[in-house]
Structure formats: structure tokens, C-alpha cells
Amino acid sequence: MATLRERAINAAETIAPLFGEFMGTFMVTATYGCNAQTGSITWMPTSIAFAVMVCMLALAHVSGGHLNPVISLGFGLVRKISWLQVFGYCLAQLCGGLAGGGVVNVLVSGSVDIGPKHNYGMLDILIVEVLFSTVVGFVALSCMASSRSNPRSDPNHYSAMAVGFVAIAGGHAGYEISGAYYNPALTVGYGLSGN
């Protein structure tokens, strides 16, 4: 029979990765929203990339630092985490995105617009978002899930930087078309928390 202390430790070890994914996604969503509402569009992709990098590095040993349902789904598909973990991480990320979007909407008294920018249509958005979300997932899996580039005996510390650079490249390439979310948790967060 487990003692109260052992049960508390088990509960904390179960909750910590989910809380980490929630908080990391919250921070990335809040960074995106503050930039979209008040920041410089020129530096927006870099700011978001730094938030992604810092949160991924901080949470790498807690949850893996996915912060994006695309990454968690990829980890499930290559059997690096269980489908129960995929579900839990995605739910935590979606909640983090919703909370981050809600907080930004309250802070800046406005909402981040989800939808086509300028003269682009929904097909344009779909192409850009799917393309760069796929690149995010590919880079994350290549750097984080590959036993060649990230062996257990000598884990790399550049995976967060690699994903961050995708955010910079994709942010500059796609912001004027789709808003450059590349993370379903951000899109859902702002879509549901908007005015």
C-alpha cells in the first residue's frame, strides 16, 4: 500500500508534464497575441521563436517541450509517447492556447484576427499553415525523436533552436497570408476566445 507521500509524488509526476505543456503553450500564445496587437510585425517572428525556444528548453525534461499538437501527434505516430499522452498533451496545449488567447484579449482590449489577410483566401491559408506546420513537426521529430541525433546517453540541446528557426522562417514567409500560427492550439485559442 502506497503512503500518502508516494501517492502525492505519483500525482505530481502525472500532472507536471500536462501542466508544463499548458504553461508553455500559454506563454507562446500570449507572446503571439501581444506581438500581433502591440508589437512590431518586423520582429514578431523572432519574438515568437524565442518564446518557443525558451519554453521548449525549460520543459524538455518535464514533458518533452512539445507545445504544439502537431509535435505531440508526430511523437504518437512514431511511438515515442503513448496515445494517452498524446491526448493529454493535446488537451493541455489547447487549454493553454485558449487561456493565452483569453488573457491577451483582456489585456489589449481586442482580439487576434483568425482568417485570411489582405487578398488571400482560405485555400491560401490552408496551404501555408499545413506546409509550415508539417515542417515544424518534421524538424521536431528529426531533432527530438531520432535516436541518431538525440541519443539517450547524449541528448542534444539544439532541438528547440531548430524549431525556433522554423518559426522565424515561417513567420516571415507566411504572416501576411495566414497569420503564421503553425500551431493548432494558438489557432483554436484565438478562434474561440475572440470577440
Side-chain angles (χ1 to χ4, degrees):
M1 180 172 213
T3 67
L4 181 60
R5 182 173 187 265
E6 290 169 338
R7 287 186 293 196
I9 290 171
N10 288 339
E13 287 176 349
T14 301
I15 294 170
L18 300 175
F19 185 70
E21 289 295 318
F22 172 87
M23 286 305 300
T25 308
F26 173 88
M27 289 305 302
V28 171
T29 305
T31 301
Y32 183 99
C34 288
N35 273 284
Q37 293 295 330
T38 63
S40 163
I41 298 302
T42 303
W43 286 99
M44 182 176 174
T46 306
S47 173
I48 295 164
F50 284 159
V52 168
M53 286 187 248
V54 168
C55 290
M56 285 181 84
L57 283 170
L59 296 168
H61 297 294
V62 177
S63 65
H66 297 180
L67 314 180
N68 187 330
V70 171
I71 296 173
S72 297
L73 182 62
F75 268 70
L77 290 172
V78 298
R79 299 181 181 166
K80 291 291 183 176
I81 62 174
S82 72
W83 286 107
L84 183 60
Q85 285 176 296
V86 171
F87 176 76
Y89 282 16
C90 289
L91 185 61
Q93 293 156 357
L94 290 170
C95 290
L98 188 59
V103 166
V104 168
N105 290 343
V106 169
L107 283 176
V108 297
S109 301
S111 63
V112 174
D113 293 326
I114 302 290
K117 309 276 186 207
H118 307 290
N119 294 325
Y120 296 99
M122 292 304 289
L123 181 60
D124 301 316
I125 289 177
L126 184 66
I127 290 169
V128 169
E129 289 292 322
V130 168
L131 174 69
F132 280 102
S133 294
T134 301
V135 174
V136 166
F138 172 74
V139 168
L141 287 173
S142 295
C143 295
M144 297 163 65
S146 169
S147 59
R148 287 187 178 180
S149 67
N150 197 20
R152 288 190 185 270
S153 61
D154 186 24
N156 73 55
H157 299 285
Y158 62 80
S159 54
M161 188 169 59
V163 173
F165 280 130
V166 174
I168 292 173
H172 285 293
Y175 181 77
E176 295 296 327
I177 298 170
S178 70
Y181 296 97
Y182 314 139
N183 185 333
L186 271 71
T187 307
V188 169
Y190 285 116
L192 295 180
S193 67
N195 295 334

